[in-house]
């Protein structure tokens, strides 16, 4: 698979919390996997910086950072795990393989749990907390600790608490933020960090199904030749390919399942993820972007230091209280899910595509690449800066990073440094400020 990439997080003292259990001595957490492989696992890719972070331009000072982060690497969901195990069982039931790459299955035991963070996922969040302290420590004080929220699933909550532990550890435990608000994920609960409030929204099944039927049949045919009688389907192909990712981030090395597929086939898996996100809560889904409106209106409130104005996903009770939605903080950290982050990107206007993603022929020049948009532990950071022009004029600006890649913000007149004024940014967000232009009501038609 090429050169081996070593992704390493060293924890000497801190605390990783996995499924509620604290581990105070975590040692090295590594994933030894070829980089060209794991960067094509779409939403199951480990976090990586899509570009090098750029410091504030000369004459500018960062005054606020709004961090939106996906949970760290996890086990498959319970339903996905069942589909994966069913696909593995087909291969494992074969008595004689015609290809030795399958011989490991003779003694294979499925090792994965479901839904929760894997240890590496906890480490990703801890590392992010360390990184964000180092980057933004100039705006941290005892009176200006990060305000932290999380959506209410265990993997998101534990990502948030590992982030706070990493932040504290990087400050030598001088600054110790805590998780202040957990937003319920019960059906139709008002939650700006989860995509659970649009029951009439469609999904991406048709689009991903078309692509699966395009790329997976030759792979299924090959596996059925290698494992006579297995009757591997094209859906099984997808499930086995994702097992490569899930098992690798659990065992911290390359899963044997990865060797059943080629590099080109993992690039096809990536495109499956691209279509999934684009047509599920992204631009290709009529009621996708509206699911990100509530967060954007909360972001506007924080940037402008004014109360939240929103009639979509926000919890009015929480957002009206300075205890649960304080204004005037220097750092906000919110922990969420990939589908919700995609909705937020689309509602804001990030990664807009000239044409919709083709269902059978990927555009190799596209910038809608899921592993670069929402890998495990993905983060979008909206910074507010004060910049001085001449000797006296000071203006507030916004710039946005997605996985450390500076966004051009063409929709609000971003300059060569990715800066647009706070006023221009707020003005540009008409879709959110207008509560989705009637789309939110369509969620309950």
């Amino acid at each position: 698979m090429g050169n081996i990439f070593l992704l390493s997080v060293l924890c000497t003292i801190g605390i990783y919390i996995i499924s509620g259990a604290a581990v105070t001595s975590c040692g090295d957490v590594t994933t030894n996997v070829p980089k060209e492989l794991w960067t094509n696992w779409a939403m199951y890719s480990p976090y990586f910086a899509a570009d090098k972070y750029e410091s504030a331009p000369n004459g500018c000072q960062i005054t606020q950072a709004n961090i939106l982060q996906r949970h760290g690497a996890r086990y498959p969901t319970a339903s996905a795990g069942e589909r994966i195990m069913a696909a593995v069982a087909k291969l494992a039931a074969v008595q004689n393989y015609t290809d030795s790459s399958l011989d490991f299955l003779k003694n294979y035991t499925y090792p994965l749990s479901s839904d929760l963070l894997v240890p590496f996922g906890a480490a990703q969040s801890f590392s992010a907390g360390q990184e964000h302290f180092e980057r933004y420590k100039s705006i941290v004080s005892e009176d200006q600790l990060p305000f932290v929220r999380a959506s209410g699933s265990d993997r998101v909550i534990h990502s948030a608490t590992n982030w706070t532990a990493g932040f504290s550890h990087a400050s030598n435990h001088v600054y110790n933020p805590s998780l202040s608000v957990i937003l319920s994920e019960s059906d139709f609960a008002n939650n700006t960090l989860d995509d659970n409030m649009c029951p009439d929204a469609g999904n991406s099944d048709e689009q991903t199904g078309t692509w699966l039927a395009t790329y997976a049949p030759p792979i299924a045919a090959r596996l059925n030749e290698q494992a006579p009688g297995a009757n591997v389907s094209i859906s099984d192909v997808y499930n086995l390919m994702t097992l490569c990712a899930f098992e690798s981030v659990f065992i911290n090395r390359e899963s044997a399942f990865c060797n059943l597929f080629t590099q080109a086939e993992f690039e096809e898996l990536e495109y499956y993820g691209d279509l999934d996100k684009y047509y599920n809560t992204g631009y290709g889904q009529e009621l996708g972007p509206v699911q990100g409106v509530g967060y954007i209106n909360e972001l506007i409130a924080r940037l402008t230091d004014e109360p939240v104005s929103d009639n979509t996903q926000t919890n009015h009770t929480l957002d009206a209280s300075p205890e649960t939605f304080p204004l005037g903080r220097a750092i906000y950290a919110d922990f969420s899910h990939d589908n919700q982050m995609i909705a937020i990107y689309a509602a804001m206007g990030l990664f807009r595509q000239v044409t919709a993603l083709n269902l059978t022929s990927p555009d190799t020049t596209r910038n809608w690449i899921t592993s670069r948009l929402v890998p495990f532990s993905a983060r979008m950071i909206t910074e507010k800066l004060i910049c001085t022009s001449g000797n006296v004029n000071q203006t507030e600006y916004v710039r946005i990073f997605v996985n450390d890649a500076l966004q051009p913000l063409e929709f609000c007149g971003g300059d060569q440094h990715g800066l647009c004024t706070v006023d221009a940014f707020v003005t540009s967000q008409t879709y959110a400020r207008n509560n989705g232009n009637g789309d939110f009501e369509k969620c309950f038609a």
Side-chain angles (χ1 to χ4, degrees):
M1 283 288 187
N3 294 329
I4 293 294
F5 177 82
L6 176 64
L7 177 61
S8 176
V9 179
L10 177 63
C11 166
T12 54
I13 298 176
I15 300 176
Y16 289 359
I17 303 171
I18 308 164
S19 306
V23 181
T24 56
S25 178
C26 49
D28 289 331
V29 180
T30 60
T31 301
N32 294 297
V33 177
K35 184 176 182 180
E36 64 270 23
L37 174 60
W38 63 258
T39 53
N40 282 295
W41 288 344
M43 52 278 194
Y44 307 134
S45 290
Y47 172 79
F48 64 99
D51 205 346
K52 183 179 180 181
Y53 175 78
E54 297 184 22
S55 300
N58 291 336
C60 297
Q61 180 180 358
I62 296 169
T63 59
Q64 186 183 78
N66 296 274
I67 300 164
L68 176 66
Q69 184 162 318
R70 186 189 177 195
H71 59 77
R74 60 165 172 80
Y75 297 105
T77 62
S79 58
E82 290 176 359
R83 292 190 294 270
I84 290 170
M85 285 188 284
V88 171
K90 288 184 177 183
L91 293 176
V94 173
Q95 296 297 312
N96 295 298
Y97 303 115
T98 64
D99 189 297
S100 61
S101 64
L102 292 166
D103 285 346
F104 75 94
L105 285 162
K106 296 175 182 177
N107 298 300
Y108 178 76
T109 300
Y110 182 76
L112 304 179
S113 181
S114 63
D115 293 301
L116 305 174
L117 289 181
V118 298
F120 174 67
Q124 288 180 296
S125 302
F126 187 96
S127 178
Q130 293 177 302
E131 177 183 285
H132 293 149
F133 172 77
E134 293 299 335
R135 182 177 296 176
Y136 298 116
K137 59 187 175 184
S138 65
I139 57 175
V140 178
S141 68
E142 290 185 5
D143 297 326
Q144 278 288 2
L145 293 178
F147 186 78
V148 183
R149 301 186 304 173
S151 195
S153 63
D154 282 351
R155 60 183 178 271
V156 181
I157 293 168
H158 293 140
S159 293
T161 52
N162 278 290
W163 184 92
T164 59
F167 194 97
S168 173
H169 178 66
S171 75
N172 292 317
H173 304 288
V174 173
Y175 303 116
N176 303 298
S178 60
L179 174 59
S180 295
V181 175
I182 298 173
L183 298 173
S184 171
E185 292 189 1
S186 61
D187 289 346
F188 310 131
N190 291 75
N191 182 347
T192 56
L193 302 179
D194 187 33
D195 58 319
N196 67 345
M197 282 196 68
C198 193
D200 286 354
N203 57 46
S204 62
D205 290 353
E206 178 182 350
Q207 292 82 9
T208 54
T210 298
W211 176 240
L212 188 65
T214 301
Y215 88 88
I219 306 174
R222 183 182 69 241
L223 289 173
N224 284 321
E225 290 178 0
Q226 296 169 338
N231 294 319
V232 170
S233 69
I234 59 173
S235 295
D236 294 328
V237 167
Y238 173 78
N239 292 317
L240 292 167
M241 294 185 81
T242 61
L243 179 54
C244 159
F246 284 123
E247 190 169 70
S248 294
V249 298
F250 173 63
I251 64 177
N252 298 319
R253 64 181 186 275
E254 186 175 345
S255 164
F257 285 94
C258 302
N259 294 321
L260 303 183
F261 310 99
T262 68
Q263 175 62 34
E265 289 165 352
F266 279 108
E267 292 171 7
E268 292 169 333
L269 176 70
E270 170 70 56
Y271 196 59
Y272 183 104
D274 300 347
L275 292 170
D276 177 40
K277 299 309 168 191
Y278 185 82
Y279 287 102
N280 190 40
T281 55
Y283 292 109
Q285 170 56 243
E286 180 186 1
L287 299 181
V290 72
Q291 298 178 66
V293 162
Y295 174 84
I296 292 175
N297 285 328
E298 291 180 331
L299 176 64
I300 289 172
R302 291 166 170 175
L303 291 169
T304 60
D305 204 27
E306 296 178 355
V308 177
S309 177
D310 178 79
N311 291 310
T312 64
Q313 299 93 355
T314 54
N315 183 310
H316 291 180
T317 301
L318 295 178
D319 281 6
S321 169
E323 298 298 318
T324 49
F325 196 87
L327 298 175
R329 292 293 184 97
I331 299 178
Y332 297 93
D334 290 320
F335 291 82
S336 184
H337 298 273
D338 53 347
N339 288 334
Q340 182 63 5
M341 291 180 69
I342 289 292
I344 291 166
Y345 297 165
M348 185 180 289
L350 298 176
F351 305 104
R352 191 177 296 278
Q353 302 298 290
V354 176
T355 59
L357 267 61
N358 189 286
L359 305 188
T360 59
S361 180
D363 178 359
T364 57
T365 66
R366 71 190 185 282
N367 69 347
W368 188 277
I369 302 174
T370 298
S371 61
R372 289 155 179 76
L373 302 184
V374 286
F376 285 132
S377 203
R379 67 281 316 244
M380 179 183 82
I381 302 179
T382 304
E383 295 178 347
K384 184 165 72 170
L385 308 90
I386 291 180
C387 300
T388 302
S389 176
N391 295 324
V392 291
N393 295 328
Q394 288 190 329
T395 305
E396 288 189 321
Y397 290 88
V398 166
R399 65 177 187 165
I400 296 176
F401 293 87
V402 175
N403 302 322
D404 280 358
L406 183 64
Q407 301 303 301
L409 302 190
E410 66 282 350
F411 51 77
C412 59
D415 66 10
Q416 71 271 25
H417 301 295
L419 295 170
C420 63
T421 66
V422 170
D423 288 344
F425 175 77
V426 172
T427 299
S428 74
Q429 297 303 300
T430 54
Y431 182 71
R433 291 188 296 110
N434 291 336
N435 297 301
N437 292 335
D439 285 345
F440 188 65
E441 289 72 19
K442 295 177 184 177
C443 288
F444 306 94

